[in-house]
Amino acid sequence: MTTPTRVLVLNSGSSSVKYQLLDMRDDRRLAQGLVERIGEETSRLVHTPLLAGGGGKRERTGPIADHAEALKLVSEELAADGLGLDSPELAAIGHRVVHGGLRFTAPTVIDDAVLAEIERLVPVAPLHNPANLVGIRTATALRPDLPQVAVFDTAFHTTMPEAAARYAIDVETADAHRIRRYGFHGTSHAYVSRETARLLGKAPEEVNVIVLHLGNGASASAVRGGRCVDTSMGLTPLEGLVMGTRSGDVDPAVTFHLMRVAGMSADEIDVLLNKRSGLVGLCGDNDMREIRRRIDEGDERAALAFDVYVHRLKKYIGAYYAVLGRVDAVAFTAGVGENAAPVREAAVAGLEELGLAVDAGLNAVRSDEARIVSPEYARVAVAVVPTDEELEIARQSYALVREGSSGAHEQDTEK
Ligand code: AMP
């Protein structure tokens, strides 16, 4: 019998499932897709076969009741490409799980105890962990014999020292409610920091990197020798950088001030800070392309939004420079980081004394490849490194399953 080498990666949100099927012999993507608006009348499945001769994108619209039905349809689409979930070539299903608390420092094969622990963390990740659990349960029902692996967004950050992870609030209260800084986007920070080292021709252990994951959600991390020592998101993904719709850092007193003077409820403030803030709150748009277009037309609110965004980013670069002491590279990634040259340029402008600069020509080049955009003379490399969370989840899941089947079952907590 052939050794199974394929991994299906599932990223389950509250009303969506994103998936990719990869062959781990050469990291090749065989198919990918998205089911969105699950539970609504206007659900949609978009499936893209990526094998040669697989044909183009296929789309289904119409109501999809729940995640179970969504996964059944995904399974049918994959089967139509000869890649069905019943295939003996499938080695594992890797699930993105947003919150792993402190317990999960590495990818983990899911069993009842792991499910219970992910469930126990729902109060600190009320939007994400329930959806992840539904995805896991549905996939398990479909292939109960197959290893289901959880890859946690928080795992990479569990190496943060207490000095960075602790909030300076009453210790008993914090511990009773598990209030501390966990960090998110960890799969991306892990992948990008490693790829940056590769780009520099060094081992991850040899380099210190500031990773700026700037998508609709955004976070920064300070990575010393491959280990995260600080990150900008905290108890939830609300803390830190200015994001598409989230405020990032605000004085916590804003919350009770709004309760007292505006009569807003906790839920209303939650929506304000998570959905009606950040770039969208400042100027009405959260897409950096649109903001740049408006700035070019002389729009002052768009210019303000950009300035607030970049100011915060620059502050975090400075802060993490200080945390690390020595920085080898600053790596930009995700939608904004990979594509918005003006953001990269503005974020490091004026930081020449820190050894940071971008080369205008290199920075303007559009490419899907990891690349350095700083001038030769710069002491610190400024890199653009496309993130690939699905590949990272697939690699971690596959490595874990292979380790298990070869009998070498030491728990790898060194990440
Ligand atoms: P992500 O969450 O990583 O998918 O990033 C999504 C965000 O990336 C969008 O909201 C845009 O603000 C930004 N983005 C995507 N493409 C571009 C582009 N070509 N130029 C500037 N920003 C972009």
Side-chain angles (χ1 to χ4, degrees), residues 145-213:
D145 57 312
L146 205 63
Q148 310 275 336
V149 179
V151 177
F152 299 93
D153 261 20
T154 45
F156 184 61
H157 303 304
T158 54
T159 52
M160 268 196 290
E162 283 292 286
R166 278 271 173 197
Y167 290 114
I169 62 175
D170 174 67
V171 169
E172 275 83 35
T173 307
D175 288 351
H177 301 285
R178 284 181 289 176
I179 294 172
R180 60 186 285 119
R181 309 190 53 258
Y182 294 98
F184 298 89
H185 290 147
T187 308
S188 177
H189 287 283
Y191 177 83
V192 171
S193 57
R194 223 176 329 97
E195 285 299 300
T196 305
R198 206 168 59 81
L199 192 63
L200 299 180
K202 301 228 165 104
E205 295 73 31
E206 296 174 301
V207 296
N208 294 348
V209 186
I210 297 173
V211 178
L212 303 170
H213 176 109

Side-chain angles (χ1 to χ4, degrees), residues 238 242-248 250 269-283 285-286:
L238 182 55
V242 177
M243 312 181 208
T245 66
R246 292 181 216 140
S247 61
V250 290
I269 298 169
D270 194 330
V271 171
L272 171 78
L273 297 179
N274 275 294
K275 300 251 157 63
R276 292 169 43 219
S277 296
L279 292 170
V280 101
L282 287 164
C283 76
D285 272 309
N286 64 338

Side-chain angles (χ1 to χ4, degrees), residues 108-177:
T108 305
V109 175
I110 299 166
D111 58 17
D112 287 345
V114 172
L115 276 176
E117 183 62 18
I118 296 172
E119 186 105 55
R120 210 170 70 87
L121 289 161
V122 166
V124 282
L127 293 181
H128 295 103
N129 275 29
N132 302 155
L133 280 165
V134 171
I136 293 169
R137 292 200 167 106
T138 311
T140 308
L142 225 51
R143 275 297 302 268
D145 57 312
L146 205 63
Q148 310 275 336
V149 179
V151 177
F152 299 93
D153 261 20
T154 45
F156 184 61
H157 303 304
T158 54
T159 52
M160 268 196 290
E162 283 292 286
R166 278 271 173 197
Y167 290 114
I169 62 175
D170 174 67
V171 169
E172 275 83 35
T173 307
D175 288 351
H177 301 285

Side-chain angles (χ1 to χ4, degrees), residues 80-385:
D81 297 333
L83 301 166
L85 289 192
D86 52 356
S87 163
E89 290 181 66
L90 200 57
I93 300 183
H95 297 267
R96 175 187 184 208
V97 180
V98 168
H99 214 310
L102 289 181
R103 178 85 64 86
F104 297 114
T105 59
T108 305
V109 175
I110 299 166
D111 58 17
D112 287 345
V114 172
L115 276 176
E117 183 62 18
I118 296 172
E119 186 105 55
R120 210 170 70 87
L121 289 161
V122 166
V124 282
L127 293 181
H128 295 103
N129 275 29
N132 302 155
L133 280 165
V134 171
I136 293 169
R137 292 200 167 106
T138 311
T140 308
L142 225 51
R143 275 297 302 268
D145 57 312
L146 205 63
Q148 310 275 336
V149 179
V151 177
F152 299 93
D153 261 20
T154 45
F156 184 61
H157 303 304
T158 54
T159 52
M160 268 196 290
E162 283 292 286
R166 278 271 173 197
Y167 290 114
I169 62 175
D170 174 67
V171 169
E172 275 83 35
T173 307
D175 288 351
H177 301 285
R178 284 181 289 176
I179 294 172
R180 60 186 285 119
R181 309 190 53 258
Y182 294 98
F184 298 89
H185 290 147
T187 308
S188 177
H189 287 283
Y191 177 83
V192 171
S193 57
R194 223 176 329 97
E195 285 299 300
T196 305
R198 206 168 59 81
L199 192 63
L200 299 180
K202 301 228 165 104
E205 295 73 31
E206 296 174 301
V207 296
N208 294 348
V209 186
I210 297 173
V211 178
L212 303 170
H213 176 109
L214 311 177
N216 203 22
S219 63
S221 68
V223 183
R224 174 181 290 133
R227 293 163 70 89
C228 177
V229 292
D230 206 349
T231 194
S232 60
M233 285 178 166
L235 174 73
T236 76
L238 182 55
E239 192 180 345
L241 300 176
V242 177
M243 312 181 208
T245 66
R246 292 181 216 140
S247 61
D249 297 334
V250 290
D251 181 344
V254 167
T255 306
F256 30 90
H257 183 73
L258 283 172
M259 284 177 163
R260 289 176 189 139
V261 303
M264 289 174 78
S265 68
D267 285 346
E268 284 169 340
I269 298 169
D270 194 330
V271 171
L272 171 78
L273 297 179
N274 275 294
K275 300 251 157 63
R276 292 169 43 219
S277 296
L279 292 170
V280 101
L282 287 164
C283 76
D285 272 309
N286 64 338
D287 192 313
M288 192 53 80
R289 285 164 286 199
E290 186 58 18
I291 290 170
R292 290 304 308 173
R293 196 191 58 71
R294 284 173 56 186
I295 292 172
D296 288 342
E297 289 176 353
D299 186 317
E300 284 179 15
R301 277 183 64 192
L304 174 67
F306 185 84
D307 290 348
V308 174
Y309 185 94
V310 166
H311 181 77
R312 184 82 52 84
L313 198 52
K314 189 175 280 189
K315 279 212 300 202
Y316 268 92
I317 294 173
Y320 288 173
Y321 208 119
V323 165
L324 291 170
R326 190 203 84 221
V327 177
D328 298 290
V330 173
F332 286 85
T333 192
V336 175
E338 291 167 29
N339 297 297
V343 169
R344 296 192 294 260
E345 184 188 332
V348 303
L351 301 184
E352 293 82 4
E353 288 287 328
L354 297 180
L356 276 161
V358 296
D359 176 284
L362 293 175
N363 193 38
V365 173
R366 302 193 62 86
S367 162
D368 292 338
E369 298 292 316
R371 59 202 185 275
I372 290 173
V373 297
S374 45
E376 201 122 318
Y377 65 80
R379 264 189 293 126
V380 180
V382 177
V384 181
V385 180

